[in-house]
Amino acid sequence: MKSKRRTFLAILLVFLAFFLSGCWDRVEIEDRGYILALGVDKYDPSDLNKYESSEYIDLDRKTQKFSSEQQKPDIKTDQKGIDPQTKRKVKPPLPSSKNEYKFAVTVLFPNLRTIGKDSKPDEQMRFLFVTSTNNVVGVRNYLEREINKRLYYGYLKVVVLGRDLVEEPGYVREVLDGLNREGDIPQNTFLLVSETTARDVLNTMPLVQPVTGIHLFEISKNASIYGRIIDTPLSEVVNNFINSNCAVISRVEPGIETLKVSGAAVFKNFRFVGWLDEKQLQVYKLLMGKAKHTFIDDLKYKSTHVPFITTEIQTKKKIKSEKGRLKIVYNLRIEGEVIEFVFKSGYKVLDDPMRKYIQNELNNIIKKRANELIYLLKYRYNADVLGIGDFISKRRAKDWKKLKKNWDDELKKIDIEVIPDVRLRRSGTIY
């Protein structure tokens, strides 16, 4: 009887050890620093001169919204890049003979105290730190020596790559590898490429949403609604590089109090090869079947613009042989509506011949833009971001064995035809 009781007590103690141990590794919410945005630039000591210029200091003050009493005549940072007046790190530390840095990493996380009941109106809304390092993700280990917060990547919204960095394919590979391996970083974190530096982007405080990471994340989420931007989550970019060594990543333009996500950067073999503007990106999304809605405002009838918004898009791609050469044919079935014309003009948009005119003109516009985009990608960038090689390998495996050895040259020989078929369904409602 005693042995049974002892066995029962032993099992009970083991059970309690598992279920009553509590969260031994928990960290209180106010002790964490939730990184929402990460910026990565190529470390360049000569670039530091820019951050000492009066133009940059003026811009910096505007974006940080210092009051007139707080404005100081000059900002002189110390060797660690810290402004003694604001205690804010505005630039990486200067290089020394003992270290050779690769990256200048900018980390942004919000000040949680500002959303509490006892928050003060003049309290800084967010924290921005810049540090030099040879690894990107591990930078938090260095920052935690200076910040009394446990930094956490679990809510990371965006990673911004600087313009200089994307010129270096080796650096891009290192950054992607680090981001992909780090278990805390969500795979739906959006990647963006800055027209200047990532630091400039994160140093901007947008008017509507002052926390830059959330601001850029919400714009990127709207990509499915507004056809002229594209969402580029980390997982998709990594898969594109694995499958075709090419990728398209959204572009962000820093301003004084605005950040504009517009167009995209094209990569081949992890190197930046050129930009796509908004209209080129619009057609790229159509060909890739990623466009849910598209807005075309180039069409004119006499002196009046006729804006057209799509409501349904179907993209079908097929491959065929013509005169011994492969040809890729895109069939685009697009339905939509004209949302504006001229009040009491006498024209009925949905009646022939007006309907035919609009449909034919829209077909011409889309076909012309598609041909320009294909020429750009084939001959100037020589980047297979449309996934032509991947498509041939799945449909024509024998042909692909011959083509893949010299795919860069063979891509230029592939005929690509785009056949748009626009159907005008509605013209809004006039009461």
Side-chain angles (χ1 to χ4, degrees):
M1 190 68 184
K2 285 185 177 178
S3 62
K4 287 184 178 179
R5 190 174 294 171
R6 287 174 182 169
T7 304
F8 175 75
L9 287 173
I11 294 172
L12 182 62
L13 286 173
V14 171
F15 179 82
L16 292 175
F18 275 108
F19 292 95
L20 299 181
S21 56
C23 301
W24 59 272
D25 59 345
R26 72 175 183 180
V27 178
E28 297 295 338
I29 190 170
E30 58 269 24
D31 295 332
R32 277 202 187 275
Y34 295 95
I35 299 174
L36 296 184
L38 196 69
V40 191
D41 291 303
K42 179 183 173 185
Y43 182 70
D44 182 2
S46 63
D47 182 51
L48 299 179
N49 295 330
K50 170 186 172 184
Y51 296 91
E52 295 289 357
S53 68
S54 58
E55 292 82 5
Y56 186 82
I57 291 168
D58 288 342
L59 173 67
D60 199 38
R61 283 172 178 156
K62 286 177 185 174
T63 55
Q64 291 300 320
K65 300 188 186 319
F66 291 140
S67 65
S68 56
E69 308 84 62
Q70 291 175 296
Q71 288 186 6
K72 305 297 178 185
D74 288 305
I75 296 177
K76 298 293 184 186
T77 58
D78 60 17
Q79 285 292 310
K80 292 182 178 180
I82 297 174
D83 171 14
Q85 302 298 333
T86 64
K87 304 297 182 187
R88 192 169 60 86
K89 181 171 279 191
V90 296
K91 70 174 188 179
L94 294 170
S96 70
S97 58
K98 295 180 180 178
N99 51 46
E100 291 291 337
Y101 297 117
K102 283 185 175 181
F103 308 109
V105 180
T106 308
V107 175
L108 184 147
F109 59 92
N111 182 0
L112 295 181
R113 291 195 302 268
T114 58
I115 59 176
K117 292 180 180 177
D118 301 327
S119 63
K120 298 175 182 176
D122 59 342
E123 200 160 13
Q124 197 169 339
M125 294 186 67
R126 60 187 199 154
F127 301 111
L128 188 86
F129 290 89
V130 184
T131 191
S132 307
T133 178
N134 287 320
N135 59 81
V136 174
V137 179
V139 71
R140 65 178 167 186
N141 297 320
Y142 297 100
L143 283 174
E144 284 176 357
R145 296 181 304 191
E146 308 169 22
I147 305 169
N148 63 336
K149 300 288 181 187
R150 291 281 298 277
L151 297 177
Y152 182 57
Y153 286 122
Y155 295 96
L156 183 65
K157 300 297 183 188
V158 295
V159 176
V160 182
L161 306 179
R163 180 69 177 80
D164 286 346
L165 179 94
V166 296
E167 297 282 359
E168 302 281 349
Y171 287 6
V172 174
R173 292 167 72 115
E174 281 189 46
V175 172
L176 287 176
D177 187 88
L179 297 174
N180 200 34
R181 286 180 191 271
E182 174 57 52
D184 287 348
I185 294 180
Q187 290 296 298
N188 63 351
T189 299
F190 287 113
L191 294 187
L192 300 109
V193 176
S194 170
E195 274 201 332
T196 56
T197 65
R199 199 178 321 153
D200 285 342
V201 172
L202 299 193
N203 210 23
T204 303
M205 187 180 283
L207 278 172
V208 178
Q209 170 53 268
V211 183
T212 310
I214 296 175
H215 180 79
L216 292 174
F217 179 75
E218 290 175 346
I219 290 178
S220 300
K221 275 200 309 180
N222 291 335
S224 60
I225 302 173
Y226 306 107
R228 292 189 174 186
I229 56 176
I230 188 170
D231 56 330
T232 47
L234 172 64
S235 58
E236 185 177 310
V237 172
V238 169
N239 286 335
N240 287 339
F241 276 122
I242 291 172
N243 294 330
S244 64
N245 278 334
C246 297
V248 169
I249 303 178
S250 294
R251 173 175 62 184
V252 56
E253 302 173 17
I256 294 177
E257 291 183 325
T258 59
L259 286 171
K260 181 181 176 185
V261 179
S262 167
V266 179
F267 286 77
K268 180 183 177 184
N269 295 331
F270 299 95
R271 184 192 297 276
F272 168 79
V273 291
W275 299 109
L276 296 182
D277 63 25
E278 286 189 346
K279 292 181 179 179
Q280 291 163 344
L281 184 63
Q282 204 175 28
V283 178
Y284 171 77
K285 288 181 67 178
L286 283 174
L287 299 182
M288 293 297 290
K290 292 184 175 182
K292 292 184 178 178
H293 299 285
T294 297
F295 181 60
I296 301 173
D297 55 1
D298 296 13
L299 176 60
K300 287 180 72 175
Y301 182 75
K302 296 184 178 176
S303 61
T304 304
H305 285 274
V306 187
F308 177 82
I309 187 165
T310 62
T311 53
E312 188 173 339
I313 300 170
Q314 291 181 353
T315 303
K316 291 185 179 178
K317 186 167 54 172
K318 61 183 179 183
I319 183 171
K320 58 183 183 180
S321 300
E322 277 188 5
K323 299 177 182 178
R325 297 173 61 180
L326 293 181
K327 182 175 183 178
I328 307 294
V329 180
Y330 288 87
N331 287 291
L332 306 178
R333 172 71 180 267
I334 299 170
E335 295 188 4
E337 58 185 319
V338 168
I339 57 172
E340 184 179 319
F341 195 56
V342 179
F343 187 57
K344 287 191 174 182
S345 63
Y347 290 104
K348 293 186 177 179
V349 175
L350 294 180
D351 288 352
D352 292 337
M354 191 69 185
R355 180 202 290 265
K356 283 187 178 178
Y357 171 81
I358 292 173
Q359 291 180 166
N360 289 337
E361 287 300 307
L362 288 170
N363 284 333
N364 292 335
I365 289 171
I366 294 171
K367 193 171 182 67
K368 183 182 175 187
R369 283 193 200 169
N371 289 338
E372 290 172 353
L373 174 70
I374 290 165
Y375 180 86
L376 183 73
L377 295 177
K378 282 174 64 176
Y379 299 109
R380 287 190 58 190
Y381 298 163
N382 193 214
D384 184 17
V385 292
L386 291 172
I388 302 295
D390 185 51
F391 184 63
I392 295 174
S393 69
K394 290 173 180 171
R395 300 294 179 93
R396 301 285 186 99
K398 289 183 180 178
D399 290 325
W400 178 242
K401 282 184 180 177
K402 300 174 187 174
L403 298 173
K404 67 179 181 182
K405 295 176 184 174
N406 299 303
W407 181 234
D408 284 350
D409 295 329
E410 296 294 341
L411 175 63
K412 298 174 183 175
K413 301 175 185 174
I414 301 288
D415 290 331
I416 301 175
E417 184 180 13
V418 178
I419 306 173
D421 179 14
V422 177
R423 306 289 178 92
L424 177 58
R425 298 300 189 195
R426 287 172 290 278
S427 61
T429 304
I430 296 178
Y431 297 96

